[in-house]
Amino acid sequence: MDILINKPIKISIDTIEIDEHLPSLKLCISIDFERNGFELKTVSVAWFKCKVLDSFIKNLELSKLAVLKDMDGNFKLKIDTKKKKLYWSSLKEGINGNTFKSEGNEQIDLDDIDNILNAFKAYPKWW
């Protein structure tokens, strides 16, 4: 597990592949959510530019809106430090043209934001 966040929802991120020519990462992102008898698990595999990851971390450090979005726009993790909310969405198009989407948001506090920031800062960068 390269990045693990357990609160407010469980998010785990693993590196699958890297591309040094266009500094980017292929990540597997798993989100597990359970509240009041409702349970959801979504797994996304997508490419992210390294500079997007850097910008996400920097914006969290500066208490700005932080967005981690993949190259195709199918996955997004957004942290709004002013509204104290975490948003995520995941979209998958099947080979037969079907579209599947899951999304959610969660109220967060300053400790949650710090935990998320620390989890991303601990990621072993190669770029």
Side-chain angles (χ1 to χ4, degrees), residues 26-119:
K26 186 175 188 181
L27 301 176
C28 179
I29 303 163
S30 176
I31 296 177
D32 294 296
F33 179 84
E34 187 176 337
R35 295 284 188 284
N36 303 323
F38 177 78
E39 188 174 338
L40 174 71
K41 178 174 180 153
T42 182
V43 177
S44 300
V45 176
W47 281 95
F48 295 82
K49 292 181 182 176
C50 294
K51 68 180 182 179
V52 170
L53 187 61
D54 288 339
S55 177
F56 178 79
I57 293 168
K58 183 177 182 178
N59 285 342
L60 276 179
E61 289 174 328
L62 297 173
S63 296
K64 291 183 174 182
L65 179 66
V67 180
L68 181 65
K69 187 175 180 181
D70 75 312
M71 290 182 187
D72 294 326
N74 293 328
F75 179 86
K76 186 187 322 181
L77 176 65
K78 181 170 80 169
I79 309 231
D80 189 330
T81 56
K82 303 282 187 243
K83 294 181 181 178
K84 295 188 178 136
K85 278 217 163 205
L86 175 146
Y87 303 88
W88 59 269
S89 65
S90 179
L91 175 73
K92 179 67 177 169
E93 292 183 24
I95 57 173
N96 58 0
N98 293 334
T99 303
F100 307 94
K101 184 175 185 179
S102 60
E103 62 185 355
N105 65 74
E106 183 78 14
Q107 200 68 37
I108 56 178
D109 60 27
L110 293 176
D111 287 338
D112 295 331
I113 294 169
D114 284 342
N115 289 337
I116 293 166
L117 174 60
N118 291 333

